Amino acid sequence: GICYAANAKPGATTVTARFASSSSYRRILVHEYQGVATTNPLDVTAGRIANGTTVANNISSGSVTTTAAGDLVFVAVMDAAGTATITAGTGYTLRATTSSDIGSEDRVLPTAGAVTGTFTFSAAHRYLISIVTFKAG
């Protein structure tokens, strides 16, 4: 899942995640952004689980349509097999990966409209992907 905190106070931030001892798969990526709306920042979200290929940009969130210019588009993906090399989609900047099983990317859209989060995997694995857009502040 993707969680966010709107209008966080300046200074050091502590993130705590608690997982059940029976959780066999635990990963967390933490990102901090400036310039996002401090009130009601969430614009649109989508997610899907599908079977991937190694075709460029074929790991896809499906299209969402933003309602505001300047949205921050944040996309996270998980490789179900946990062994693919993850590359950001065209127009995105790869922000984090861990152990070749999850990755995140982002970009800012200059105008409102349709957008799709994409990645490329080095192996044709099943994946889970989420796209979230945040309005500019």
Side-chain angles (χ1 to χ4, degrees), residues 54-122:
T54 58
V55 175
N57 298 313
N58 198 46
I59 307 302
S60 170
S61 66
S63 182
V64 297
T65 302
T66 64
T67 64
D71 269 14
L72 167 68
V73 180
F74 179 83
V75 189
V77 70
M78 180 186 81
D79 167 26
T83 59
T85 300
I86 299 170
T87 306
T90 301
Y92 285 91
T93 300
L94 187 67
R95 293 297 175 194
T97 60
T98 144
S99 304
S100 297
D101 55 2
I102 64 173
S104 63
E105 65 184 12
D106 61 31
R107 67 188 275 195
V108 174
L109 289 181
T111 58
V115 63
T116 301
T118 61
F119 288 90
T120 302
F121 282 3
S122 62

